[in-house]
Amino acid sequence: MSTSSGPFSGPFSGPLTLELLALPKEVPVLRRTVREHLGGPCAEVQLCVSEIVGNVIRHVGEDTPVVVRISGMAGGRTRVEVTDPDARALPVLLRAGGDDERGRGLALMDAVSLRWGVRQEDGRKTVWCEVGRP
């Protein structure tokens, strides 16, 4: 996983950019890296990052190169972006039933984020969300 950051006005040191391969073993490392970067508890941000990268693993495939960006916004919000090279595999918000084993990830992200969406461009997509202060 490679990282970079730069200045911005926000609650933490600056934006975080991570380039990695979408693999299940990278998800806990990613959550830990995000928490360290944000300097404390950030369960909602960690959940959003985990769910978006988990969807890449499940629906695009393991070993898919992704770019994860975490940045501060006005009003203390945090923006999470995950870009992958498959513009066709779009996330779909499902309402999983009690016995369903899958389909809750985006519903969880939808519940904890202020808003979220997908941006498609040049053969890739970026799934993004904005999380308020804890």
Side-chain angles (χ1 to χ4, degrees), residues 50-70:
S50 297
E51 292 304 331
I52 298 170
V53 172
N55 276 347
V56 172
I57 293 168
R58 280 185 292 285
H59 301 292
V60 180
E62 289 190 23
D63 287 326
T64 299
V66 296
V67 178
V68 176
R69 291 178 200 83
I70 309 292

Side-chain angles (χ1 to χ4, degrees), residues 28-112:
V29 175
L30 181 57
R31 283 193 301 263
R32 190 170 39 256
T33 301
V34 167
R35 180 185 169 124
E36 289 170 2
H37 181 76
L38 295 179
C42 56
E44 292 88 357
V45 174
Q46 289 173 304
L47 178 122
C48 291
V49 168
S50 297
E51 292 304 331
I52 298 170
V53 172
N55 276 347
V56 172
I57 293 168
R58 280 185 292 285
H59 301 292
V60 180
E62 289 190 23
D63 287 326
T64 299
V66 296
V67 178
V68 176
R69 291 178 200 83
I70 309 292
S71 57
M73 302 181 67
R77 293 176 303 176
T78 302
R79 184 173 176 103
V80 174
E81 297 181 345
V82 178
T83 301
D84 72 68
D86 190 341
R88 297 168 294 132
L90 299 176
V92 176
L93 181 60
L94 301 174
R95 299 294 177 203
D99 293 332
D100 293 337
E101 294 182 17
R102 293 182 178 229
R104 290 180 178 79
L106 284 178
L108 287 169
M109 187 178 78
D110 185 62
V112 302

Side-chain angles (χ1 to χ4, degrees), residues 20-28 53 57 61-64:
L20 62 131
L21 295 177
L23 293 165
K25 70 178 185 175
E26 290 290 344
V27 175
V53 172
I57 293 168
E62 289 190 23
D63 287 326
T64 299

Side-chain angles (χ1 to χ4, degrees), residues 7-23:
F8 85 103
S9 62
F12 42 96
S13 63
L16 174 67
T17 301
L18 303 166
E19 297 179 6
L20 62 131
L21 295 177
L23 293 165

